[in-house]
Amino acid sequence: MKRIFTIALIAMFAAGAIPALASPAPFITPPAPQFTEAERQAELARRRAAVEAKMVDNSVMVLLSAEPKLYTGDVDYVFRQENDLYYLTNLKQQDATLVIQKKAGKITETVYLPKRDPSQETWKGKMYSVEDAERISGIKRVLPAEEAQIAIDALKRRSDPAIQTVYLLLEGDTGEPDGQREFGREAALSKQLKAAPAGKGPRPRPLKVLNGRDIIDDLRMIKSRYEQKLLQHAVDISTEAHERAWMIAGNVSMEYELQAEVEYTFRRRNADFWGYPSIVGAGANGTTLHYEESQGPVRLGDLVLMDVGAEYDHLTADVTRTFPVNGKFSKEQADIYQIVYDAQEAVAKAAKPGASMMDIEFAADEVLKNGLLKLGLITPENPQYQLWYMHGVGHWLGMNVHDVGSRFTFEPGMTFTNEPGIYIRADALDYLPDTPENRAFKAKIRPAFEKYKNIGVRIEDDMIITPTGVEWMTKNLPRKMSDIEDFIAANKRSQQ
Ligand SMILES: [Mn+2]
């Protein structure tokens, strides 16, 4: 019986009655990109040279390392180096300081580091030796950490009158001329540097303090081939993590089980960490943009929205998929999904060198508005599509998940996310101002609202601008509804 059935199937297949099924094998993260020491050092030297070229003459840039952050009692959060210091040195250790001086056009780069201390190393592991720091950073002048304070104090005293400008990494609203709204350690240092030094004698000119971020952020916007390879690895780990969660979703009962599968994959593939807390929302929880609790049930018939990204070597992916737990989109889920998918396609078409972030916003808005209108979730006289789509369509991506940079025009090497979404929140209509227009609006869309409520869909891909358009860094993660369904059908399994 079984045999006859098989033969019949083969015959039908041969006759072309059954389309060939591509077998969608789960994605396995390829090995991490490898670079020689020389390549790595050349990359760091390139970045520093670019920074130095933009520093005004007779200036000093001071980059302090991140400070440990208290978790509880005597326990800190996992230490993560400050991005710009890492960008220029690859040093991961606490209490590192980078000082770059540009004086009469001559550059001096100095790294300050705590001296190795056997009693500290007993508790916390090996500290960098001078040779380690030289090899990792490529900077030849490595001095003890205590001397960093001496160098900073010398700046405060204006001991070298030639130096007129100091760059710090300032946070907050640095547009304030007096720096009043800057905050943190660096703001305090900024104030001290700008104050006239105590003591007798002729008063030197006040030091000018500029924000080093203005220089470094701009460079970080364009990802070199080296950076692109690392970011691709973070995307690949995230791709594998998404798929693994899809495979078990039909056999779990709680959201945290899917989150565990994702973060297990991150760790297993040696990601540094996640780039942002994982968002795993089943059913109505998918309509909360940054839902991080993972305490809800996962039910057959639900969609699950997962916005999760691995971080690798300080670069983070940012990837969202929305998939059906039972492996099949319902008609209503598919209606919403297709609009979001089409908006993504429109964004990808609009994104190219010379186009801007505004262009892709408009491209997405147009598709989302038309789609929602067709479904009856907004009306021609009141097309308030932002009721169901309340965020931007994308952001720069890099060392920060919402990466730095103040330019808006695309250039090759820029990386960004393409992430439209529609969220039919069950209470959305309750918060509309009670006006005659809104009353009419609510009455008109009520049937569609009842049909689609509690469906949340976001699809988010990581894109890189190429000379001619875009490349989808996330292209290995199924995105079309039929591809997601085929993948789940071919790969669903129970948890191990
Ligand atoms: Mn994002």
Side-chain angles (χ1 to χ4, degrees):
M1 180 69 184
K2 199 171 171 192
R3 206 191 143 113
I4 292 168
F5 182 68
T6 309
I7 290 168
L9 269 181
I10 291 170
M12 284 165 76
F13 183 78
I18 300 172
L21 269 180
S23 98
F27 179 83
I28 304 292
T29 308
Q34 297 295 320
F35 303 102
T36 63
E37 281 291 276
E39 287 169 332
R40 204 182 47 74
Q41 288 190 6
E43 171 73 10
L44 293 180
R46 177 193 67 76
R47 295 175 190 169
R48 288 198 300 270
V51 169
E52 289 151 5
K54 292 194 171 188
M55 289 168 65
V56 298
D57 203 10
N58 299 317
S59 66
V60 169
M61 184 178 283
V62 181
L63 273 75
L64 307 175
S65 74
E67 288 182 298
K69 291 196 172 63
L70 185 68
Y71 179 65
T72 178
D74 59 355
V75 178
D76 288 337
Y77 282 98
V78 173
F79 181 76
R80 185 178 183 284
Q81 187 57 282
E82 195 282 321
N83 274 336
D84 290 342
L85 182 63
Y86 189 78
Y87 181 73
L88 298 182
T89 66
N90 273 8
L91 294 171
K92 292 189 169 181
Q93 202 169 290
Q94 292 181 25
D95 296 321
T97 304
L98 171 67
V99 174
I100 300 174
Q101 180 178 278
K102 182 175 186 176
K103 187 174 160 185
K106 187 176 173 288
I107 302 294
T108 313
E109 299 167 336
T110 312
V111 163
Y112 298 91
L113 270 182
K115 271 200 198 123
R116 290 186 64 187
D117 172 349
S119 69
Q120 278 240 21
E121 293 195 1
T122 303
W123 288 91
K124 292 187 165 176
K126 192 174 172 297
M127 299 168 73
Y128 294 142
S129 65
V130 169
E131 296 72 38
D132 291 335
E134 276 183 22
R135 178 182 51 79
I136 294 168
S137 68
I139 293 174
K140 297 283 166 268
R141 209 170 118 88
V142 179
L143 300 175
E146 308 83 75
E147 292 187 30
Q149 195 53 52
I150 296 172
I152 290 169
D153 289 342
L155 278 174
K156 289 184 201 164
R157 284 197 316 273
R158 240 45 67 79
S159 65
D160 183 347
I163 299 301
Q164 291 158 13
T165 306
V166 177
Y167 292 94
L168 299 173
L169 300 183
L170 296 167
E171 303 282 355
D173 185 357
T174 54
E176 294 287 301
D178 56 358
Q180 282 308 307
R181 290 170 67 188
E182 297 163 6
F183 54 83
R185 260 181 325 169
E186 315 236 350
L189 180 55
S190 162
K191 258 185 213 151
Q192 294 163 3
L193 289 169
K194 284 188 277 193
K200 293 182 182 130
R203 293 198 143 202
R205 275 202 298 166
L207 269 179
K208 197 168 174 188
V209 177
L210 295 177
N211 196 349
R213 292 194 193 279
D214 295 341
I215 293 178
I216 303 174
D217 287 0
D218 201 53
L219 296 171
R220 278 174 48 187
M221 291 196 80
I222 309 282
K223 274 70 179 175
S224 65
R225 275 304 294 153
Y226 179 100
E227 290 162 308
Q228 290 173 27
K229 282 182 191 166
L230 291 170
L231 181 56
Q232 184 65 57
H233 192 59
V235 168
D236 288 346
I237 295 171
S238 310
T239 296
E240 182 176 344
H242 272 275
E243 285 193 348
R244 284 188 67 106
W246 300 356
M247 285 152 68
I248 62 162
N251 289 297
V252 306
S253 51
M254 300 298 285
E255 292 164 342
Y256 55 75
E257 295 172 81
L258 297 178
Q259 182 187 349
E261 192 70 16
V262 164
E263 292 173 10
Y264 160 79
T265 309
F266 288 177
R267 188 67 272 175
R268 182 159 182 254
R269 296 299 178 210
N270 198 27
D272 297 333
F273 214 60
W274 37 246
Y276 54 95
S278 302
I279 297 167
V280 180
N285 291 334
T287 66
T288 299
L289 302 184
H290 286 178
Y291 172 82
E292 291 172 10
E293 293 166 30
S294 292
Q295 292 296 323
V298 174
R299 299 191 185 91
L300 293 176
D302 279 350
L303 288 180
V304 176
L305 186 157
M306 293 207 322
D307 183 345
V308 298
E311 177 172 288
Y312 187 78
D313 204 20
H314 270 247
L315 288 156
T316 185
D318 184 6
V319 185
T320 309
R321 287 291 183 273
T322 307
F323 67 94
V325 174
N326 61 13
K328 193 91 189 110
F329 287 89
S330 72
K331 168 78 173 62
E332 290 73 25
Q333 292 166 349
D335 286 347
I336 300 285
Y337 192 98
Q338 191 60 46
I339 299 171
V340 179
Y341 180 95
D342 291 343
Q344 271 201 312
E345 292 289 303
V347 165
K349 264 199 204 103
K352 51 178 166 284
S356 77
M357 274 285 184
M358 287 311 289
D359 294 329
I360 64 170
E361 289 289 355
F362 289 141
D365 286 358
E366 191 67 11
V367 174
L368 293 167
K369 208 193 290 182
N370 288 337
L372 289 166
L373 203 54
K374 232 178 244 167
L375 296 189
L377 284 160
I378 53 175
T379 61
E381 53 282 359
N382 199 344
Q384 47 182 316
Y385 64 100
Q386 276 148 337
L387 186 60
W388 311 122
Y389 165 59
M390 53 300 267
H391 56 76
V393 81
H395 51 79
W396 304 120
L397 183 70
M399 298 182 92
N400 299 12
V401 60
H402 299 156
D403 208 24
V404 295
S406 55
R407 279 187 273 165
F408 288 95
T409 305
F410 292 123
E411 285 175 44
M414 287 181 171
T415 46
F416 69 101
T417 64
N418 176 359
E419 54 169 320
I422 294 177
Y423 315 89
I424 311 300
R425 290 182 66 79
D427 62 0
L429 299 182
D430 304 344
Y431 296 115
L432 281 182
D434 191 24
T435 63
E437 293 77 32
N438 278 339
R439 260 173 268 152
F441 173 78
K442 283 201 259 189
K444 207 160 165 199
I445 67 159
R446 181 67 65 183
F449 171 71
E450 292 301 332
K451 192 164 146 195
Y452 293 109
K453 83 175 166 194
N454 290 323
I455 295 178
V457 173
R458 175 162 67 254
I459 319 174
E460 176 175 31
D461 284 79
D462 297 346
M463 326 286 286
I464 182 157
I465 297 287
T466 68
T468 51
V470 281
E471 185 191 318
W472 298 68
M473 301 186 85
T474 26
K475 59 179 173 292
N476 288 315
L477 184 58
R479 186 171 64 92
K480 235 185 224 170
M481 277 185 280
S482 57
D483 289 344
I484 293 174
E485 291 177 342
D486 290 349
F487 179 88
I488 295 175
N491 297 294
K492 69 168 116 187
R493 62 193 60 168
S494 30
Q495 263 176 307
Q496 321 239 311

